[in-house]
Amino acid sequence: MKTAILVDGGFYRRRAQSRLGEKTAEERADELNKYCHMHLHYHGKQISDLYRIFYYDCLPMNKKVYHPFLQKEVDFSKTDLHTWMLTFIECLKQKRKFALRLGKLADEQAQFLLREQITRKLCRGILYLQDLKEQDFMLVVKQKGVDMKIGLDIASLAYKKQVDQIILISGDSDFVSAAKLARREGIDFILDPLYNPIKPDLFEHIDGLRTCDSRFKPNGVEKTTQNP
């Protein structure tokens, strides 16, 4: 069985940082490569041949954004995250069978906002303005073109009969239309949400769920049946 693995990069990076901890760009790139190859095996036996790993993400932001708490502009071109992301992308480019699909950040709309839980505490009177800290704010910036690139690649792989199976590593439900198209073309469509909860009605549009590393499982979550 020839398999294409599609990775929603922003989702994977956030989930891996949360569940597997901070790592250098080189270590995170190696980790992702190894994880993708785990999908080609089941109980130690190879069940699929890798066609290609498609990685979707955006280059880091270069602009300055005003921070309301610090009352000054933050230059993102000089941050550690900027350097980390550039190194991470370069590491992936050097991996065998990796194809990068890079979108753009809507950085003209980037802004710092209060985190949701902080806003709730302020509204309830549990927290006061004078109690706010720098980490109570988060940068909000949306990606442009990433979801479209994922959908186009799914359609292209399906119509050209280039693979027998598509594995999508993502926690987003925006791919439903593309997944339905692939299944109509006879493609086995597997979703890997890295143990992130998905909507119940999403199951009717995929052929199975599979997460290969139990470290992504939140504490207290019962074991879920996985499909090879």
Side-chain angles (χ1 to χ4, degrees), residues 172-187:
D172 202 337
S173 60
D174 290 343
F175 65 86
V176 167
S177 296
K180 291 169 66 175
L181 182 152
R183 295 180 76 205
R184 286 197 299 267
E185 294 298 314
I187 304 296

Side-chain angles (χ1 to χ4, degrees), residues 141-155:
V141 55
K142 295 182 179 181
Q143 295 182 337
K144 295 194 299 185
V146 172
D147 289 346
M148 181 179 292
K149 290 177 185 292
I150 293 176
L152 288 173
D153 278 340
I154 291 175

Side-chain angles (χ1 to χ4, degrees), residues 3-9 12 25-38 40 50-57 88-102 153 169:
T3 298
I5 301 176
L6 283 60
V7 184
D8 180 343
Y12 179 85
E26 294 84 357
E27 291 171 339
R28 184 110 289 157
D30 288 341
E31 168 198 280
L32 173 59
N33 185 46
K34 291 178 181 177
Y35 181 77
C36 288
H37 280 80
M38 291 174 68
L40 307 176
L50 179 63
Y51 171 69
R52 194 160 290 142
I53 299 171
F54 296 87
Y55 181 84
Y56 307 84
D57 212 333
F88 178 68
I89 293 297
E90 287 302 315
C91 288
L92 292 184
K93 288 180 179 178
Q94 299 173 28
K95 299 292 184 186
R96 175 169 166 75
K97 294 280 190 176
F98 262 80
L100 271 64
R101 301 283 196 265
L102 299 178
D153 278 340
I169 300 176

Side-chain angles (χ1 to χ4, degrees), residues 11-174:
F11 169 74
Y12 179 85
R13 287 187 290 103
R14 291 189 299 271
R15 195 72 175 164
Q17 182 182 29
S18 172
R19 304 307 305 162
L20 307 182
E22 298 278 356
K23 292 188 178 182
T24 65
E26 294 84 357
E27 291 171 339
R28 184 110 289 157
D30 288 341
E31 168 198 280
L32 173 59
N33 185 46
K34 291 178 181 177
Y35 181 77
C36 288
H37 280 80
M38 291 174 68
H39 269 291
L40 307 176
H41 299 79
Y42 191 67
H43 292 307
K45 180 181 178 181
Q46 183 168 337
I47 57 174
S48 300
D49 295 317
L50 179 63
Y51 171 69
R52 194 160 290 142
I53 299 171
F54 296 87
Y55 181 84
Y56 307 84
D57 212 333
C58 294
L59 291 174
M61 188 168 61
N62 290 316
K63 71 172 295 184
K64 298 178 180 179
V65 181
Y66 181 78
H67 197 301
F69 180 80
L70 300 177
Q71 296 188 8
K72 67 177 183 179
E73 289 187 329
V74 178
D75 187 350
F76 279 88
S77 67
K78 298 179 180 179
T79 61
D80 292 338
L81 177 60
H82 184 273
T83 302
W84 189 97
M85 272 300 299
L86 290 180
T87 303
F88 178 68
I89 293 297
E90 287 302 315
C91 288
L92 292 184
K93 288 180 179 178
Q94 299 173 28
K95 299 292 184 186
R96 175 169 166 75
K97 294 280 190 176
F98 262 80
L100 271 64
R101 301 283 196 265
L102 299 178
K104 294 182 179 180
L105 291 175
D107 52 11
E108 67 279 359
Q109 301 172 2
Q111 57 182 325
F112 282 98
L113 297 177
L114 278 171
R115 299 183 184 277
E116 183 179 354
Q117 62 270 30
I118 300 300
T119 301
R120 290 179 179 177
K121 289 181 179 179
L122 284 173
C123 293
R124 293 173 183 172
I126 301 175
L127 193 69
Y128 298 94
L129 289 176
Q130 60 268 29
D131 299 324
L132 291 178
K133 302 176 182 178
E134 181 180 350
Q135 57 265 35
D136 294 333
F137 293 79
M138 64 177 181
L139 178 69
V140 177
V141 55
K142 295 182 179 181
Q143 295 182 337
K144 295 194 299 185
V146 172
D147 289 346
M148 181 179 292
K149 290 177 185 292
I150 293 176
L152 288 173
D153 278 340
I154 291 175
S156 177
L157 290 167
Y159 281 138
K160 294 181 180 179
K161 307 296 183 183
Q162 293 174 312
V163 297
D164 305 301
Q165 182 183 69
I166 292 175
I167 296 173
L168 176 62
I169 300 176
S170 177
D172 202 337
S173 60
D174 290 343

